[in-house]
Amino acid sequence: MRVATIGTGYVGLVCGACLADFGHQVICIDKDADKIAGLSRGEMPIYEPGLHALVHSNVREGRLEFSTGLAGAVGQADAVFIAVGTPSRPGDGHADLSYVYTAAREIAAALDGFTVVVIKSTVPVGTGDEVERIIREARPQADVSVVSNPEFLREGAGIRDFKHPDRIVVGSEDERAREVMAELYRPLYLNAAPMLYTRRRTAELIKYAANAFLATKITFINEIAELCEKVGADVQEVARGIGLDNRIGTKFLHTGPGFGGSCFPKDALALIKAGQDHEAPLRIVETVVAVNNQRKRAMARKVAVALGGDLRGKIIAVLGLTFKPNTDDMREAPSIALITALQDQGAAVRAYDPAGMEQAKRLLPDITYADSAYACAEAADALVIVTEWEQFRALDLGRLKGIMARPIVIDLRNVYRPDDMAKHGFFYHAVGRASPGSADALDLFPSRIAAE
Ligand SMILES: NC(=O)c1ccc[n+]([C@@H]2O[C@H](COP(=O)([O-])OP(=O)(O)OC[C@H]3O[C@@H](n4cnc5c(N)ncnc54)[C@H](O)[C@@H]3O)[C@@H](O)[C@H]2O)c1
């Protein structure tokens, strides 16, 4: 089939390259001329494992092209994917749909013959109706069907997720459009990935409900982690103890500095706004967002406590800046709130990230960037692990201790074992696991202790 994708970001590029790999003829379109020029030279605009090789092979085999103009590509396409950004609208938190609607107008002008317009971007319920209205207003005679097909891939594992999805959600009641979607995803159907056909509005809501539920799971375990620290329990064992219950599941029960990224924060906010607009408030999601926002900054308090309460003049080494490993995406990364809070308390911050430093420099211009984990730790008063990149999981602890001014590690991802760290002479502070011998591991029964 012939496919055009509008928007060549994390989703549009992965989606376009994977569909080409399935054997379809794909043109990826983006307004950003630099991005398209780079892609045409074989340079990837984002860091995504496996993407470079996938794009190369499909370009070489003539199935994948790039363009800044959509006229010809859309005219010839059986399916046009809208994969443009839907960021939070400044001021009110609603999803900013201006990119989607602009794309819809541009598509309308270029349609020729029966075309399925597939909304891949994450959009509030009813956006498909509005996209259809925009297209029909501009081209009343156009033979078009607007479908919702939300994307569930995770950055850092995008290609695998696209090719091995848990499910493919197709929101459309139009039989012709469903046939086109089935044909596009046929290779996955053969892999037994379930296709879930729903009404368009249902599909739109599935995406937001899924992200809000996952954000809730993370926030739940983060609050349990806080309690673990107070009562001397281990959050990882609690997570395993509850996760082995099939009704709960083990995924998304890893405590950390709070969720971030390009999706969960903005999608949770957009869902809250939709709930308010429709007089169906989503109080659980509202609380999740509030708790998460406080948590990111509160992580700086953890660092201050580890250093005896005063951060002024201290050098803090931060390992990991991106919101998760295997991506260069800095959008809403917890590191931003944490580092800003450390700076507010007078600390000097030095950071290292394997892929995110270029993007980080725009958001965090006032920190020093190191070119390795060890250069980052040199003479530092404390080391904070913020993102669990693979290469931070097996640091040479002897070397690390030798180069730091003080052997203090605050591990916000629970990468290390407390007993190992103690053996190497570190003062080690994890999340949701009381440090052995530290004051927060004790004092369980203050009234009884007082009475004794
Ligand atoms: N990033 C993820 O992990 C992820 C996962 C699932 C869903 N989503 C959703 O997918 C959508 C896209 O996300 P992303 O992270 O890929 O965004 P992104 O910001 O990385 O990319 C969007 C691209 O669209 C381009 N663009 C905007 N308007 C255009 C137009 N009219 N014509 C051509 N190009 C245009 C921009 O130049 C940009 O390159 C969002 O709605 C997001 O919520 C993202």
Side-chain angles (χ1 to χ4, degrees):
M1 303 205 106
R2 289 190 165 271
V3 175
T5 65
I6 316 292
T8 306
Y10 290 87
V11 167
L13 185 53
V14 169
C15 167
C18 289
L19 288 173
D21 210 44
F22 294 167
H24 301 301
Q25 200 63 39
V26 180
I27 302 187
C28 290
I29 295 149
D30 205 291
K31 284 206 152 146
D32 184 334
D34 290 342
K35 214 176 241 191
I36 294 300
L39 280 162
S40 304
R41 288 191 303 270
E43 294 160 14
M44 295 305 108
I46 52 168
Y47 176 86
E48 181 65 40
L51 187 61
H52 195 263
L54 190 74
V55 167
H56 261 247
S57 65
N58 282 284
V59 167
R60 199 179 49 234
E61 286 161 30
R63 289 189 298 268
L64 182 60
E65 293 170 66
F66 302 100
S67 172
T68 49
L70 52 68
V74 167
Q76 290 175 14
D78 301 295
V80 180
F81 283 76
I82 299 180
V84 299
T86 48
S88 279
R89 196 163 61 186
D92 68 2
H94 274 280
D96 177 354
L97 295 171
S98 57
Y99 301 100
V100 173
Y101 294 153
T102 301
R105 278 182 218 105
E106 290 167 352
I107 292 166
L111 286 170
D112 188 8
F114 178 60
T115 313
V116 179
V117 173
V118 186
I119 304 180
K120 247 296 165 233
S121 299
T122 302
V123 294
V125 175
T127 305
D129 301 356
E130 182 61 12
V131 166
E132 183 166 344
R133 192 196 62 75
I134 289 171
I135 294 174
R136 296 214 182 283
E137 192 177 82
R139 295 282 303 279
Q141 307 303 329
D143 192 7
V144 67
S145 190
V146 177
V147 168
S148 165
N149 172 222
E151 183 50 59
F152 299 98
L153 66 78
R154 296 161 300 170
E155 287 176 21
I159 293 167
R160 203 205 157 274
D161 284 353
F162 194 92
K163 289 189 167 185
H164 301 274
D166 293 334
R167 77 301 203 189
I168 300 153
V169 174
V170 175
S172 169
E173 289 167 280
D174 177 346
E175 206 41 56
R176 278 196 306 170
R178 286 184 175 194
E179 276 169 25
V180 168
M181 297 304 286
E183 183 56 24
L184 281 172
Y185 285 114
R186 197 162 54 87
L188 298 183
Y189 194 62
L190 297 175
N191 290 348
M195 296 276 275
L196 183 63
Y197 292 103
T198 67
R199 297 176 67 185
R200 193 163 61 199
R201 287 180 163 236
T202 305
E204 290 169 337
L205 189 53
I206 285 173
K207 173 63 190 176
Y208 277 115
N211 273 2
F213 191 84
L214 293 172
T216 303
K217 238 180 145 181
I218 295 173
T219 307
F220 175 81
I221 203 67
N222 282 340
E223 288 204 311
I224 294 291
E226 286 290 311
L227 183 58
C228 283
E229 287 177 22
K230 301 277 164 54
V231 301
D234 183 323
V235 71
Q236 280 175 277
E237 289 173 9
V238 173
R240 190 165 156 72
I242 61 173
L244 286 172
D245 183 330
N246 285 333
R247 293 169 301 177
I248 295 173
T250 51
K251 304 265 176 70
F252 279 77
L253 286 179
H254 301 289
T255 188
F259 63 78
S262 62
C263 292
F264 284 4
K266 77 167 176 68
D267 292 348
L269 221 51
L271 183 60
I272 290 168
K273 293 294 165 188
Q276 289 168 353
D277 284 355
H278 292 90
E279 291 181 23
L282 296 156
R283 297 206 181 84
I284 293 173
V285 188
E286 287 171 9
T287 305
V288 163
V289 169
V291 169
N292 191 63
N293 284 342
Q294 284 162 23
R295 181 169 181 83
K296 294 192 219 175
R297 200 172 155 86
M299 291 297 106
R301 267 205 303 279
K302 239 177 154 25
V303 180
V305 167
L307 279 161
D310 186 11
L311 290 176
R312 192 148 301 280
K314 303 286 191 319
I315 299 173
I316 309 296
V318 170
L319 291 188
L321 293 168
T322 51
F323 81 96
K324 66 170 172 178
N326 292 323
T327 182
D328 57 350
D329 201 338
M330 281 295 296
R331 287 178 279 187
E332 300 285 329
S335 64
I336 302 168
L338 165 68
I339 288 174
T340 310
L342 293 173
Q343 289 176 317
D344 288 347
Q345 293 177 55
V349 176
R350 196 190 298 137
Y352 170 69
D353 187 280
M357 292 199 290
E358 278 316 304
Q359 295 211 18
K361 281 174 189 167
R362 278 179 245 144
L363 298 160
L364 296 163
D366 300 332
I367 63 175
T368 309
Y369 290 90
D371 56 12
S372 74
Y374 298 104
C376 183
E378 187 90 46
D381 293 292
L383 179 84
V384 190
I385 301 174
V386 181
T387 315
E388 68 279 31
W389 283 88
E390 205 60 47
Q391 58 180 266
F392 301 153
R393 289 179 179 274
L395 293 169
D396 178 339
L397 296 177
R399 180 175 171 196
L400 199 62
K401 173 136 190 293
I403 58 177
M404 289 179 67
R406 299 193 220 186
I408 298 173
V409 171
I410 300 100
D411 179 357
L412 299 182
R413 299 290 182 172
N414 287 351
V415 169
Y416 287 96
R417 290 164 51 109
D419 48 351
D420 265 358
M421 296 302 280
K423 215 163 34 194
H424 282 87
F426 283 99
F427 294 97
Y428 177 69
H429 303 261
V431 187
R433 295 187 297 182
S435 321
S438 71
D440 49 3
L442 304 171
D443 260 5
L444 288 183
F445 305 103
S447 55
R448 195 190 67 192
I449 292 166
E452 277 170 3

